[in-house]
């Protein structure tokens, strides 16, 4: 049992950034949702203002969580990758559930390329740093 706990501590020692980055990405997509809702409501001024305030609040929370994730992550690219991926996926989920949008195959293909580009860039930066050190 002690060995399992030691292995678990070693594996999940620096994963708190995952939670911060994940929450940051989801908060940002919720902020975008409120932005879309604020522009779709016409004639109800108070609802528009409420949705705009919620948009700014959730986007600010998203940036704060992302900044915390950057602070505790072993590399800034890890936090960026998790935040970007969670933002894209949660945006697709919110769009399909709330607005009836259906992301096309090309949208998912493009999202995959963006995430792959971040991964490739992170590995090339890590390899170049190893060569300098």
């Amino acid at each position: 049992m002690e060995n399992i706990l030691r292995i678990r501590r070693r594996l999940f020692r620096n994963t708190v950034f995952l939670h911060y980055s994940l929450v940051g990405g989801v908060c940002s997509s919720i902020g975008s949702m409120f932005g879309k809702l604020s522009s779709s409501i016409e004639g109800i001024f108070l609802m528009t203002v409420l949705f705009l305030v919620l948009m700014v609040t959730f986007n600010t929370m998203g940036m704060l969580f992302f900044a915390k994730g950057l602070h505790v992550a072993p590399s800034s690219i890890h936090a960026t990758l998790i935040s970007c991926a969670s933002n894209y996926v949660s945006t697709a989920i919110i769009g399909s559930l709330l607005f009836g949008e259906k992301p096309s195959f090309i949208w998912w293909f493009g999202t995959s390329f963006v995430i792959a580009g971040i991964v490739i860039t992170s590995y090339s930066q890590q390899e170049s740093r190893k060569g300098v050190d």
Side-chain angles (χ1 to χ4, degrees):
M1 183 69 171
E2 186 177 315
N3 288 336
I4 293 172
L5 291 175
R6 192 172 338 135
I7 291 170
R8 182 177 172 189
R9 267 186 248 122
R10 192 178 320 140
L11 286 174
F12 297 108
R13 177 180 15 194
N14 292 328
T15 59
V16 89
F17 79 92
L18 289 172
H19 304 303
Y20 287 137
S21 301
L22 184 72
V23 170
V26 171
C27 282
S28 295
S29 66
I30 291 172
S32 298
M33 174 198 68
F34 282 122
K36 186 170 184 172
L37 286 173
S38 71
S39 66
S40 65
I41 293 180
E42 295 177 10
I44 307 173
F45 180 72
L46 288 177
M47 290 297 285
T48 302
V49 171
L50 175 68
F51 285 149
L52 285 173
V53 168
L54 286 171
M55 177 190 72
V56 170
T57 302
F58 273 95
N59 279 325
T60 302
M61 286 174 30
M63 292 308 296
L64 288 173
F65 278 111
F66 176 63
K68 276 191 136 333
L70 284 173
H71 181 70
V72 298
S75 172
S76 63
I77 199 71
H78 293 109
T80 303
L81 176 65
I82 298 298
S83 181
C84 179
S86 67
N87 191 330
Y88 284 148
V89 171
S90 60
T91 298
I93 292 170
I94 289 172
S96 65
L97 291 177
L98 246 54
F99 302 110
E101 299 172 349
K102 186 172 181 179
S104 66
F105 174 74
I106 294 174
W107 186 91
W108 285 108
F109 194 66
T111 299
S112 301
F113 269 112
V114 169
I115 294 171
I118 293 171
V119 170
I120 291 169
T121 304
S122 72
Y123 283 124
S124 66
Q125 287 176 354
Q126 288 176 356
E127 291 299 319
S128 65
R129 286 185 188 147
K130 287 179 184 177
V132 173
D133 294 338

